[in-house]
């Protein structure tokens, strides 16, 4: 055997700055310039067939490996051909959009569930505050859902689903408006609107084919019964109120009349107690003044009998006439004073 001789690898110089380097260096440590020119790619030489097990048989191992390589290359080409580009596979657009819409509608489902619970517990004569609070909460959720739906990016094949959701939200809001009207201003017409609007909302949610969309809308019949009862009870209350008012007015009138009569009687008694005898003259006898001076009373009596003097504003009437012509008069005026006298009248 010939012994190997030891020799160091030849030196290599930088073509840019001339610095010396070992032969296996690739870049200049001084200036960074490449020390070797890039080599032109050359076709790989075909590998020599491996000898068979006995050195003379067919190269089965190489054939099997080659077939596997060909199959792998074909599979890769098929994937590239069907997949278009090398981007990762994305979820189907419609499925992604439906998932987003379902998440968007979750609060609506919860709001309708809360409303249903309050409607089912509503009895005749109950305060509707809880149900009304649930209606208003559901209305806010529906408005928010409409706004959020408009912000979603709708795929080309998702426009039909978007239209169905928009219609369902519109029908939902119509039903909630009807429910709010029935609770705040109960009328027969409001009660009649509840069933059709609720059915339209349920049908519209069902048409979206999204599981659980719209939640549960129930208790509408109970709300209609409550509304009609409120209308009936309101009419009965109004009738009772009118009757009570008429009764109170009649009682007040009777009381006022009784008080006026009592006051008049009291004044009469007082006048009788303060009656003053003023005498008489020229065929006039027993002149009595009540609440007024004798001069005024005598003048009023003279005016009534003979047209002389002044009436003093008194209006006289005959209260008694005897067979001999002696006639008794009583005269009164607005201030409650009186003049009473008798006189012979031919």
């Amino acid at each position: 055997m010939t012994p190997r001789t030891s020799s160091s690898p030849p030196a290599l110089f930088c073509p840019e700055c001339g610095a010396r380097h070992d032969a296996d260096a690739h870049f200049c440590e001084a200036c960074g310039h490449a020390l070797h020119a890039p080599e032109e790619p050359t076709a790989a030489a075909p590998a020599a067939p491996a000898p068979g097990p006995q050195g003379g048989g067919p190269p089965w191992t190489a054939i099997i490996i080659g077939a596997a390589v060909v199959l792998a290359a074909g599979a890769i080409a098929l994937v590239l051909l069907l997949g278009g580009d090398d981007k990762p596979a994305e979820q189907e657009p419609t499925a992604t959009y439906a998932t987003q819409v379902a998440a968007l509608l979750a609060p609506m489902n919860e709001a309708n569930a809360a409303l249903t619970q309050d409607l089912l517990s509503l009895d005749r004569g109950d305060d509707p505050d809880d149900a009304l609070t649930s209606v208003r909460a559901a209305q806010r959720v529906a408005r928010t859902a409409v706004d959020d739906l408009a912000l979603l990016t709708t795929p080309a094949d998702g426009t039909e689903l978007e239209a169905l959701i928009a219609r369902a939200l519109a029908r939902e809001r119509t039903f909630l408006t009807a429910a709010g009207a029935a609770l705040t201003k109960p009328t027969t017409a409001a009660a009649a609107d509840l069933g059709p609007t609720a059915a339209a909302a349920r049908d519209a949610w069902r048409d979206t084919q999204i599981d659980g969309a719209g939640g549960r809308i129930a208790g509408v019949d109970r709300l209609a019964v409550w509304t009609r009862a409120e209308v009936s009870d309101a009419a009965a209350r109004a009738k009772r109120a009118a009757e009570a008012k008429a009764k109170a007015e009649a009682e007040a009138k009777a009381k006022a009349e009784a008080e006026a009569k009592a006051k008049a009687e009291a004044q009469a008694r007082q006048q009788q107690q303060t009656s003053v005898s003023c005498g008489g003259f020229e065929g006039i006898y027993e002149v009595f003044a009540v609440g007024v001076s004798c001069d005024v009373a005598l003048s009023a009596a003279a005016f009534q009998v003979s047209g002389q003097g002044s009436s003093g504003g008194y209006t006289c009437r005959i209260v008694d006439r005897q067979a001999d012509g002696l006639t008794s008069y009583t005269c009164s005026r607005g201030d409650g004073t009186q003049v009473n006298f008798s006189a012979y009248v031919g």
Side-chain angles (χ1 to χ4, degrees), residues 290-292 296 300 304 311-316 331-333 335 337-339:
V290 180
V292 69
V296 173
Q304 178 65 32
S311 67
Y314 286 92
T315 300
C316 300
C331 306
S332 61
R333 64 183 183 186
D335 60 359
T337 60
Q338 290 183 352
V339 175

Side-chain angles (χ1 to χ4, degrees), residues 15-26:
E16 181 69 20
C17 66
R20 180 177 177 175
H21 298 281
D22 294 337
D24 57 354
H26 295 283

